[in-house]
Amino acid sequence: MAYKDEKLSEEKVFKDPVHRYIHVRDKVIWDVIGTREFQRLRRIKQLGTTYLVFHGAEHSRFHHSLGVYEIVRRIVDDGFDGRPEWNQEERLVTLCAALLHDLGHGPFSHAFEKVFDLDHEKFTQAILLGDTEVNAVLTRVADDFPQKVADVIGKTYPDKLVVSLISSQIDADRMDYLQRDAYFTGVSYGHFDMERILRVMRPAEEQAVIKYSGMHAVEDYIMSRYQMYWQVYFHPVSRSAEVILTKILHRAKHLYESGYIFKQEPGHFRSFFDRTFALEEYVALDESILLTYFQIWMKEDDPILSDLCYRFINRRLFQYAEFDPATEYRKIGELEQLFAEAGIDPEYYLLADSSSDLPYDFYRPGEENERLPIYLQMPNGELSELSRSSDIVDAVSGKRRTDHKLYFPEDLLEAGKETNPLYGRILKLLKG
Ligand code: NI
């Protein structure tokens, strides 16, 4: 029997708090899960620094990847079953892409990518196509199979319906992370009726569409995404932790470049500082390694590096103030000068951070980042863009909301303001 058709003698199930069970029958899927690159996702948290705010948010990218696979498996095995053009290889490409769509995420992705100028999507492609265990499993299906999986994830795969299941405005990725992140953070937002959405999802040429009668379930999904962004993903305190994390990596890189002698040789980072790292070295990293270095760097002689690590490890985070970069750019300049005069390096201790999200976007052809809208299939069979029928979606559609914050060490300034009048002036300016 061809490898792609092989089934396990007994179905394997993973117990899952969100989908109850995750079912695996295909030998290929089971083998992919067992590779070291996929197992590595167990050691990378799904929500980065969010666990410092919502202590339940310790779930990993491994959980989420299995969850996306399960949603897609249900769509292709239940919803699309019996379609003449749907064959086993197409089914398997779709399932593998679902399982592997986040494979390239590094430890604390956002901060790490920012400092070392990396892109996790490129690493997903590199791991799929490189000399890896995942590649060896996928190649057993067919020589061009790893490339097909990579094309679905890279959105260049010819069958756009397949691409839309993994990445669109209503895809299995979002449907899994919203529910999973809501479950683990414990918030009451993020819940919606996925069972209903799966029942009303219909395959169309370019993407899956929603039967008109399912519109309210989709409205609920869009609103839950909107609320999760502002309540969880952009939470100002987890952003504070992320800002500190970014600055730790910046400082370590800066020290390395300026010839600083570390008490403990930063072996895992050296090739990243030098930008000479191999794929193997990237795959070897995980969050426990970063956290170990932060513990070690707390004892470094450099006061900035050791202070930032102490803050991250012990959750002594920066305080924040609202600010508007359009009107308050002068204030930033003034603050930077005061920080420097007070002997606090503004590059590491006065940090602006912005978050922004577009809850749903209608189709604007020709514009940058064109995104396919969600279509409803009307009773007469015609397709209609969601925000035309839904007032609720129309209210949030195409509206980008941005939030700017300024982060600073309030604890340090408060403690020193009696002896250093500059500290007091800074506090007044920041909070006034
Ligand atoms: Ni994902």
Side-chain angles (χ1 to χ4, degrees):
M1 191 194 286
Y3 182 49
K4 72 175 163 57
D5 299 317
E6 272 182 49
K7 301 287 179 196
L8 300 169
S9 57
E10 247 179 27
E11 181 178 69
K12 302 274 188 190
V13 287
F14 292 81
K15 189 80 189 81
D16 183 79
V18 176
H19 307 306
R20 294 192 61 236
Y21 290 100
I22 286 162
H23 305 256
V24 180
R25 295 263 348 244
D26 301 274
K27 180 80 168 65
V28 176
I29 297 297
W30 185 247
D31 290 347
V32 166
I33 293 171
T35 60
R36 65 186 200 98
E37 295 86 16
F38 192 78
Q39 291 292 320
R40 161 189 169 271
L41 298 177
R42 290 183 187 269
R43 304 188 304 274
I44 295 182
K45 281 190 282 295
Q46 174 70 7
L47 290 182
T49 58
T50 304
Y51 71 99
L52 290 166
V53 180
F54 298 96
H55 62 260
E58 296 267 0
H59 57 304
S60 71
R61 296 202 180 266
F62 183 88
H63 297 197
H64 164 65
S65 300
L66 285 181
V68 176
Y69 154 82
E70 178 63 13
I71 297 173
V72 169
R73 191 197 64 75
R74 290 184 54 191
I75 297 173
V76 302
D77 286 355
D78 304 340
F80 292 4
D81 199 28
R83 297 182 80 215
E85 61 276 41
W86 199 252
N87 61 47
Q88 171 62 0
E89 188 173 322
E90 196 83 325
R91 175 181 169 275
L92 214 48
V93 167
T94 314
L95 293 180
C96 287
L99 193 60
L100 299 172
H101 75 284
D102 279 340
L103 191 63
H105 272 287
F108 299 111
S109 297
H110 301 294
F112 198 83
E113 287 178 19
K114 206 163 145 190
V115 175
F116 296 110
D117 191 22
L118 308 172
D119 173 3
H120 67 263
E121 290 181 11
K122 283 195 187 129
F123 285 105
T124 300
Q125 304 279 333
I127 297 171
L128 290 172
L129 303 175
D131 180 15
T132 57
E133 289 186 10
V134 167
N135 180 270
V137 172
L138 299 179
T139 305
R140 278 183 69 194
V141 176
D143 283 343
D144 62 350
F145 193 71
Q147 185 64 56
K148 285 185 179 172
V149 175
D151 288 347
V152 175
I153 298 169
K155 299 180 213 163
T156 55
Y157 193 66
D159 188 337
K160 297 296 172 221
L161 171 61
V162 170
V163 174
S164 81
L165 298 180
I166 322 283
S167 75
S168 65
Q169 296 200 76
I170 184 156
D171 60 21
D173 183 25
R174 293 181 183 192
M175 284 198 274
D176 184 80
Y177 73 62
L178 291 175
Q179 297 179 86
R180 191 166 300 279
D181 298 343
Y183 176 88
F184 283 98
T185 52
V187 299
S188 56
Y189 319 96
H191 300 285
F192 58 93
D193 191 349
M194 185 181 78
E195 297 301 316
R196 176 94 183 118
I197 292 181
L198 295 184
R199 289 185 66 85
V200 294
M201 224 177 204
R202 297 282 179 273
E205 213 157 291
E206 291 275 287
Q207 66 186 113
V209 299
I210 305 291
K211 202 174 141 192
Y212 179 72
S213 62
M215 182 177 86
H216 298 107
V218 178
E219 285 179 338
D220 208 22
Y221 154 85
I222 303 253
M223 295 321 280
S224 74
R225 180 168 182 277
Y226 172 79
Q227 285 166 331
M228 281 298 280
Y229 266 79
W230 292 103
Q231 295 301 319
V232 175
Y233 303 139
F234 296 157
H235 195 289
V237 179
S238 69
R239 280 160 62 195
S240 174
E242 192 161 309
V243 161
I244 292 176
L245 183 62
T246 309
K247 286 296 161 183
I248 291 174
L249 296 172
H250 260 296
R251 186 64 183 176
K253 182 166 179 267
H254 169 79
L255 290 173
Y256 177 82
E257 284 166 352
S258 51
Y260 176 88
I261 309 292
F262 287 85
K263 285 185 181 167
Q264 168 106 18
E265 156 76 16
H268 289 83
F269 288 98
R270 181 178 278 279
S271 61
F272 289 90
F273 293 150
D274 287 335
R275 296 202 59 84
T276 55
F277 66 93
L279 182 61
E280 179 75 12
E281 290 169 286
Y282 182 79
V283 173
L285 282 180
D286 61 36
E287 287 173 2
S288 55
I289 292 181
L290 261 67
L291 291 169
T292 304
Y293 274 95
F294 298 170
Q295 298 263 15
I296 293 171
W297 289 342
M298 270 200 286
K299 309 218 167 62
E300 275 297 338
D301 291 333
D302 178 68
I304 294 180
L305 183 64
S306 72
D307 176 62
L308 294 175
C309 288
Y310 179 85
R311 286 177 177 277
F312 189 84
I313 294 289
N314 298 302
R315 201 190 177 283
R316 305 287 196 270
L317 304 178
F318 289 165
Q319 189 51 268
Y320 58 90
E322 304 291 334
F323 103 107
D324 178 0
T327 57
E328 295 179 294
Y329 56 93
R330 271 211 195 88
K331 186 165 145 184
I332 297 276
E334 205 178 323
L335 279 165
E336 278 173 348
Q337 206 170 342
L338 284 172
F339 267 72
E341 277 174 45
I344 308 172
D345 190 340
E347 205 191 323
Y348 296 97
Y349 289 95
L350 179 69
L351 309 156
D353 181 69
S354 306
S355 291
S356 88
D357 177 49
L358 199 55
Y360 171 75
D361 204 9
F362 42 81
Y363 190 47
R364 285 177 281 187
E367 280 193 22
E368 228 185 311
N369 294 326
E370 269 176 32
R371 39 185 116 204
L372 274 183
I374 298 171
Y375 283 106
L376 296 175
Q377 190 175 49
M378 307 307 277
N380 65 6
E382 275 176 24
L383 297 184
S384 166
E385 190 273 314
L386 175 65
S387 67
R388 289 196 194 176
S389 301
S390 163
D391 291 339
I392 290 180
V393 174
D394 187 48
V396 295
S397 159
K399 294 193 181 83
R400 181 174 293 281
R401 221 188 104 188
T402 307
D403 173 69
H404 306 279
K405 299 245 187 298
L406 207 52
Y407 289 89
F408 59 95
E410 185 187 45
D411 50 359
L412 174 81
L413 296 165
E414 283 290 347
K417 71 177 180 189
E418 301 305 331
T419 46
N420 193 336
L422 275 173
Y423 284 18
R425 272 179 66 195
I426 292 173
L427 277 170
K428 219 171 149 198
L429 195 55
L430 276 163
K431 298 163 96 180

